[in-house]
């Protein structure tokens, strides 16, 4: 009997990639046109919780995960297996307003199996915010995900500030794309980078992320303004990430529900490693416990003084160092 059941199960097992998660519903993409609504049984959740032990994450399944599911007769699915992730972009979960939750902030996985992150920013309205860019760069570097920067609205850049930031970030090795939606500028180069990759787009509100995605992929008509929805049970749920298939090998993950990213699980002592241009200096500090902030004989501070490291990046570093809740990250 059991064996028969097992065979039945095997026959129907289907592989797909998670497109979006709403409350307890997992929408799994199995072809360019087919999405199956799946559930994640408690049994599977517990199995993964046990396996991960202390490393247990709140998001056992995230957008971008490859999952296997069994198809029910009614066309819905039941997830039975989750593939190991290549990588994941996480943030500290937001504190619940008015909640009594204390202690470490949990990890929220924004998406998994990402090839490229594109940080969308604008040079003006809103003004370019290098601190925000640096924060995402740290999150990406700590997850070993390739990161790129889009500086949008260059049509508003009368004083040519974008050149300064392009030089700074390209100088430390990041791809920088300067774009303008109304002038349709800068997108040819960008589109080449997207091909055959899973590309996550993140941007603060108003920078033009939806405009860019709609210009690049008009057929998708991404409903990026739709940030939240009510589930059938009337609970308020936030739609965080959304995966779209462009072609068989090219995917875009939009992040309309993610308005800020606080890097997760970073200790103060490691932070400097995620500022890539600091790395060559880290071995030369007088103290091996140097936090590159105020210590005498710090090679990073010396490099800042000698203009080998930009003051803006150093300020971002100090700013982040101060906000890291040491000992509360795990
Ligand atoms: P999002 O919040 O990042 O998704 O931003 P939107 O795509 O909704 O764009 C915010 C506003 O900026 C809209 O009024 C857009 O028309 C405008 N916008 C987007 N891209 C550009 C651009 O390259 N140049 C200019 N001048 N305005 C833009
Ligand atoms: Zn130092």
């Amino acid at each position: 009997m059991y064996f028969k059941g097992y065979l039945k199960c095997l026959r129907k097992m289907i592989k797909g990639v998670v497109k979006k998660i709403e409350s307890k519903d997992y929408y799994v993409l199995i072809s360019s046109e087919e999405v199956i609504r799946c559930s994640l049984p408690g049994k599977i959740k517990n199995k993964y919780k046990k396996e991960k032990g202390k490393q247990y994450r709140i998001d056992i399944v995230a957008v971008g995960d490859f999952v296997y599911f069994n198809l029910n007769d009614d066309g819905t699915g039941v997830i039975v297996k989750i593939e190991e992730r290549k990588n994941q972009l996480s943030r500290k979960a937001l504190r619940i307003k008015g909640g009594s939750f204390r202690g470490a902030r949990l990890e929220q996985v924004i998406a998994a199996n990402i090839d490229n992150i594109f940080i969308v920013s604008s040079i003006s309205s809103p003004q370019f915010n290098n601190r925000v860019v640096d924060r995402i760069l740290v999150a990406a570097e700590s997850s070993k995900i390739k990161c790129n920067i889009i500086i949008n609205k260059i049509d508003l850049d009368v004083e040519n500030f974008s050149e300064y930031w392009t030089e700074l970030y390209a100088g430390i090795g990041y791809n920088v794309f300067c774009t303008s939606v109304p002038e349709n500028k800068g997108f040819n180069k960008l589109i080449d980078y997207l091909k055959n990759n899973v590309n996550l787009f993140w941007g603060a509100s108003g920078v033009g992320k939806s405009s860019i995605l709609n210009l690049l992929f008009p057929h998708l008509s991404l409903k990026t303004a739709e940030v939240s929805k009510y589930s059938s049970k009337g609970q308020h749920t936030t739609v965080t990430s959304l995966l779209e298939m462009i072609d068989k090998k090219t995917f875009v993950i939009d992040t309309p529900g993610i308005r800020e990213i606080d890097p997760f699980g970073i200790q103060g002592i490691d932070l400097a490693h995620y500022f890539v241009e600091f790395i060559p200096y880290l071995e030369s500090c007088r103290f091996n416990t140097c936090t590159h902030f105020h210590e005498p004989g710090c090679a990073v501070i010396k490099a800042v003084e000698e203009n080998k490291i930009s003051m803006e990046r150093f300020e971002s570093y100090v700013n982040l160092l101060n906000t890291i809740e040491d000992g509360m990250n795990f």
Side-chain angles (χ1 to χ4, degrees):
M1 271 309 270
Y2 273 125
F3 186 62
K4 214 171 158 191
Y6 179 65
L7 275 185
K8 196 176 160 198
C9 170
L10 268 189
R11 199 171 54 233
K12 283 191 176 175
M13 204 152 88
I14 302 170
K15 187 181 175 182
V17 58
V18 177
K19 177 188 167 74
K20 68 172 175 176
I21 301 170
E22 277 178 22
S23 190
K24 287 177 178 163
D25 294 328
Y26 297 81
Y27 292 84
V28 180
L29 197 81
I30 54 172
S31 73
S32 61
E33 270 137 43
E34 256 181 302
V35 178
I36 309 290
R37 182 161 56 88
C38 295
S39 61
L40 181 67
K43 176 170 89 187
I44 303 287
K45 273 190 212 165
N46 289 336
K47 179 176 163 261
Y48 277 81
K49 260 193 230 181
K50 249 188 212 157
E51 274 175 19
K52 303 285 174 199
K54 263 199 162 170
Q55 296 283 299
Y56 162 57
R57 301 186 291 247
I58 50 172
D59 298 302
I60 291 163
V61 175
V63 166
D65 263 329
F66 293 101
V67 295
Y68 294 85
F69 64 88
N70 289 327
L71 198 59
N72 296 324
D73 292 338
D74 66 359
T76 62
V78 179
I79 294 174
V80 289
K81 197 176 153 211
I82 306 142
E83 248 183 34
E84 195 73 29
R85 287 175 190 154
K86 175 169 93 174
N87 60 33
Q88 62 185 39
L89 179 67
S90 300
R91 68 167 176 178
K92 283 184 199 159
L94 302 176
R95 286 188 201 283
I96 301 159
K97 251 192 187 161
S100 59
F101 180 72
R102 279 165 205 253
R105 279 162 67 185
L106 295 174
E107 177 177 22
Q108 182 183 33
V109 181
I110 295 168
N113 302 317
I114 306 159
D115 295 311
N116 272 320
I117 294 176
F118 289 88
I119 306 171
V120 188
S121 57
S122 52
I123 200 65
S124 174
S125 23
Q127 204 181 17
F128 186 80
N129 188 335
N130 62 303
R131 296 268 175 95
V132 170
V133 170
D134 290 337
R135 222 180 312 161
I136 317 298
L137 287 177
V138 164
E141 289 295 340
S142 70
S143 311
K144 299 191 172 70
I145 307 173
K146 189 172 157 48
C147 211
N148 310 272
I149 299 163
I150 297 175
I151 304 179
N152 190 35
K153 307 199 186 183
I154 53 160
D155 52 290
L156 304 178
D157 190 17
V158 277
E159 300 197 59
N160 211 9
F161 287 131
S162 57
E163 201 176 312
Y164 176 80
W165 294 113
T166 302
E167 238 170 66
L168 195 164
Y169 286 104
I172 50 181
Y174 294 109
N175 288 319
V176 183
F177 303 88
C178 289
T179 59
S180 164
V181 174
E183 292 180 357
N184 199 349
K185 254 193 199 159
F187 295 105
N188 285 344
K189 194 177 145 207
L190 178 61
I191 221 150
D192 284 342
Y193 277 82
L194 303 179
K195 270 181 203 143
N196 302 333
N197 285 319
V198 177
N199 307 288
L200 182 138
F201 281 71
W202 181 85
S205 187
V207 295
K209 176 171 60 67
S210 340
S211 308
I212 291 175
L213 289 175
N214 285 325
L215 184 127
L216 291 174
F217 313 110
H219 58 289
L220 291 179
S221 61
L222 290 158
K223 291 192 199 83
T224 44
E226 186 187 355
V227 178
S228 54
K229 265 192 175 175
Y230 286 89
S231 74
S232 55
K233 291 193 189 88
Q235 287 164 325
H236 190 250
T237 57
T238 305
V239 179
T240 49
S241 311
L242 181 67
L243 178 139
E244 297 282 1
M245 188 189 238
I246 308 303
D247 60 49
K248 269 193 171 162
K249 288 183 175 170
T250 311
F251 297 85
V252 163
I253 300 176
D254 188 17
T255 56
I258 309 279
R259 284 316 191 183
E260 51 185 275
I261 296 182
D262 252 346
F264 174 84
I266 293 170
Q267 304 284 338
I269 195 77
D270 296 328
L271 182 63
H273 290 91
Y274 307 131
F275 282 76
V276 286
E277 76 276 34
F278 292 14
I279 295 172
Y281 303 100
L282 299 179
E283 295 283 295
S284 312
C285 296
R286 188 181 302 162
F287 305 112
N288 61 7
T289 53
C290 190
T291 58
H292 326 292
F293 168 39
H294 56 81
E295 291 88 343
C298 173
V300 172
I301 295 174
K302 186 163 169 264
V304 176
E305 284 163 359
E306 291 170 355
N307 291 324
K308 289 174 183 158
I309 287 176
S310 90
M311 186 50 94
E312 287 91 346
R313 288 275 290 169
F314 183 68
E315 280 172 0
S316 276
Y317 169 76
V318 173
N319 183 265
L320 256 170
L321 192 67
N322 287 331
T323 60
I324 282 180
E325 299 151 314
D326 245 347
M328 298 198 27
N329 293 285
F330 57 93

